[in-house]
Amino acid sequence: MSAPVRLLVISQQFSPEMGALPNRLYPLTRHLAAHGHDVYVATGMPNYPKGKVFPAYRGKRFLREALDGATVLRTAYFTTPRNVSKRSQLLSYLSFLPAVLHSGWRAGRVDVVFVTSPPIFPALPAILLAKLRGAKLLVDLRDLWPDEVVAVGAAKEGSLSIRLLRLIERWMYRSADVVTCTTRAFEDTVAERGVGAEKRRLLPNGADVELFRPLPRENPVAAEYPFGDRFVVMYSGLLGIKHGLETILDAAELLREHEDVVFFIRGEGPRRQALEDRVVELGLENVLFGGELPIEEVPQLLARADVCVTNLLPDPYLEKIVSVKVFEYLACEKPVVGALRGEGARVLEESGGGITVAPGDAQAMAAAILELRDDPERREALGKAGRRYVEEHYSRAVIAATLERLLGELTAGRNGAS
């Protein structure tokens, strides 16, 4: 076992915020703290996804709190709803930098600075803090942010904004002692961008299988929604541009005559209002929406799903990612219909837990949903296969243990670890 490590985690989001990033980091920090490491998290006041600071944190400039063994250091920064304007969102990102620099400095001496991206901007104070503290720098790469910005049409390759992001990206890779990637495809890409094999490590996404688990179909959280005895097709997660959720609405339109089938879309994000407007425009009475929930309640809602769905836009970059929701669906023993290519499709097919169709293919998605509706035994078999797969390969506990070993390797000389 490695010697105790003093670790500083830099992230713009952290528990009690909800979403893919906090859901990734919280189990990691909890595991490391439980195994005797000194874990500090430098972050802001919770405000994601709506951009409004949570009531319990309003009016506070600085805050130090303990969360499952980790010391969380919070500094307020400018927050704004994500769909107000690009300028306001950029100001929010930039105002976080001095805030997190302040929080990070308050952690004192550390052995490793761990920064997660995207967003990419926190890499700047992370590089500075690592240099000032004489610490190792670990960059946790969850998405290739410049590539994603281009993929969703938010900016064009070669534009000033993308050139600046590429500049930060190159500096981040050069400064890092280790770059962890969530998929093999990301590893290949950063290798092409000059990150040597000695720096690259795989640290995939996954699910907290103790939280995301099979639960009774009928429960108090699910009972709050008007599902009745209908067949529930559920999407749970961020309502973002890259998810191409119009495909799910198109599938719902194709199945509108099947009165026993209802689509439920749970989450917040920049596409929420547009999706609700389209449901009204199409007159879809078989689509329901739900908002954010405490993460502890999400598995109870997923328990009511008969099938879970996911989609990504048909873009070469998006073939490199695997959405966290896929692991959470599978961990809850839910059969999945995924309109995916690349890494996402590979995981779903390897798991034996679902059916893949082409991104954007609403007809194929609708057909797969009906196929599963009519075959309850297959639904059960897919669900059990998916759960086994996540437990064996993508449990957050397994991933946290991998990170712990990596931290031991990084600090072996300094701490005298074996």
Side-chain angles (χ1 to χ4, degrees):
M1 180 175 175
S2 60
V5 172
R6 286 179 63 89
L7 175 70
L8 173 63
V9 175
I10 291 178
S11 173
Q12 194 154 348
Q13 298 166 26
F14 194 69
S15 181
E17 290 167 297
M18 293 166 288
L21 173 51
N23 292 0
R24 174 175 174 81
L25 288 184
Y26 177 60
L28 298 179
T29 60
R30 183 183 63 198
H31 172 97
L32 293 171
H35 284 72
H37 302 284
D38 294 324
V39 181
Y40 296 85
V41 180
T43 187
M45 299 298 169
N47 66 90
Y48 182 84
K50 293 187 176 181
K52 296 180 180 179
V53 174
F54 292 9
Y57 294 86
R58 288 175 189 162
K60 294 180 170 64
R61 180 64 181 154
F62 312 110
L63 185 65
R64 182 187 186 104
E65 60 182 350
L67 188 59
D68 274 348
T71 300
V72 183
L73 303 166
R74 299 186 184 275
T75 302
Y77 68 100
F78 171 70
T79 62
T80 181
R82 297 182 70 185
N83 56 354
V84 170
S85 71
K86 291 181 180 179
R87 183 184 295 253
S88 294
Q89 187 63 59
L90 179 60
L91 286 174
S92 180
Y93 286 138
L94 295 180
S95 75
F96 178 70
L97 304 188
V100 80
L101 187 62
H102 176 268
S103 291
W105 185 254
R106 291 164 67 199
R109 180 193 66 79
V110 293
D111 300 314
V112 179
V113 175
F114 174 112
V115 63
T116 185
S117 174
I120 201 170
F121 302 114
L124 301 175
I127 293 169
L128 180 58
L129 285 166
K131 289 185 180 299
L132 291 174
R133 294 300 190 190
K136 300 290 187 179
L137 178 63
L138 190 158
V139 171
D140 179 49
L141 199 64
R142 303 175 347 270
D143 278 315
L144 299 166
W145 211 37
D147 301 62
E148 180 168 321
V149 170
V150 173
V152 300
K156 292 183 178 180
E157 192 65 67
S159 64
L160 176 60
S161 59
I162 296 299
R163 292 203 305 273
L164 287 173
L165 292 180
R166 297 283 186 209
L167 181 64
I168 297 172
E169 181 186 35
R170 289 193 295 272
W171 188 25
M172 179 175 72
Y173 294 155
R174 285 198 305 269
S175 302
D177 294 283
V178 167
V179 177
T180 59
C181 301
T182 53
T183 68
R184 294 290 184 193
F186 283 172
E187 276 198 283
D188 293 341
T189 301
V190 300
E192 293 168 0
R193 294 176 185 177
V195 179
E198 72 284 356
K199 278 191 178 186
R200 300 192 309 271
R201 297 291 190 280
L202 181 67
L203 194 70
N205 272 317
D208 184 344
V209 296
E210 295 179 5
L211 176 63
F212 288 90
R213 65 197 189 280
L215 292 170
R217 176 184 172 89
E218 305 300 332
N219 63 73
V221 174
E224 296 179 8
Y225 300 90
F227 298 134
D229 60 357
R230 289 180 290 181
F231 185 88
V232 178
V233 179
M234 191 176 295
Y235 174 92
S236 175
L238 179 67
L239 310 185
I241 297 170
K242 69 182 179 184
H243 301 106
L245 298 174
E246 291 78 8
T247 298
I248 296 174
L249 297 187
D250 290 344
E253 184 178 19
L254 290 169
L255 299 180
R256 67 193 309 164
E257 300 304 321
H258 295 266
E259 296 181 358
D260 62 323
V261 177
V262 62
F263 286 72
F264 182 70
I265 299 175
R266 185 210 68 82
E268 299 289 346
R271 294 295 298 162
R272 168 92 187 223
Q273 189 60 55
L275 294 169
E276 289 183 334
D277 291 345
R278 187 159 186 218
V279 166
V280 172
E281 179 186 337
L282 296 174
L284 296 179
E285 297 181 358
N286 61 340
V287 178
L288 304 173
F289 285 89
E292 284 293 345
L293 289 173
I295 190 171
E296 297 80 9
E297 296 183 6
V298 174
Q300 296 182 62
L301 188 57
L302 288 172
R304 183 57 187 83
D306 294 288
V307 168
C308 289
V309 291
T310 188
N311 182 76
L312 288 171
L313 292 173
D315 184 272
Y317 164 70
L318 297 177
E319 295 180 14
K320 299 178 180 181
I321 73 174
V322 184
S323 297
V324 173
K325 66 179 68 66
V326 172
F327 299 114
E328 294 172 348
Y329 292 162
L330 295 173
C332 289
E333 278 192 10
K334 295 300 165 182
V336 180
V337 175
L340 306 167
R341 284 199 186 103
E343 289 281 322
R346 179 190 62 77
V347 165
L348 190 53
E349 290 164 2
E350 277 187 4
S351 75
I355 298 173
T356 58
V357 301
D361 192 339
Q363 287 191 332
M365 177 178 282
I369 289 168
L370 290 183
E371 183 180 326
L372 292 174
R373 181 201 62 176
D374 297 336
D375 194 344
E377 290 183 358
R378 187 180 181 200
R379 293 201 307 271
E380 181 179 3
L382 292 175
K384 290 188 180 301
R387 170 74 185 185
R388 284 194 302 272
Y389 179 77
V390 174
E391 285 179 326
E392 292 173 8
H393 303 286
Y394 291 101
S395 161
R396 293 286 193 197
V398 171
I399 297 163
T402 301
L403 175 59
E404 186 176 16
R405 289 193 297 273
L406 178 55
L407 294 175
E409 293 172 13
L410 271 175
T411 60
R414 177 177 314 195
N415 289 330
S418 57

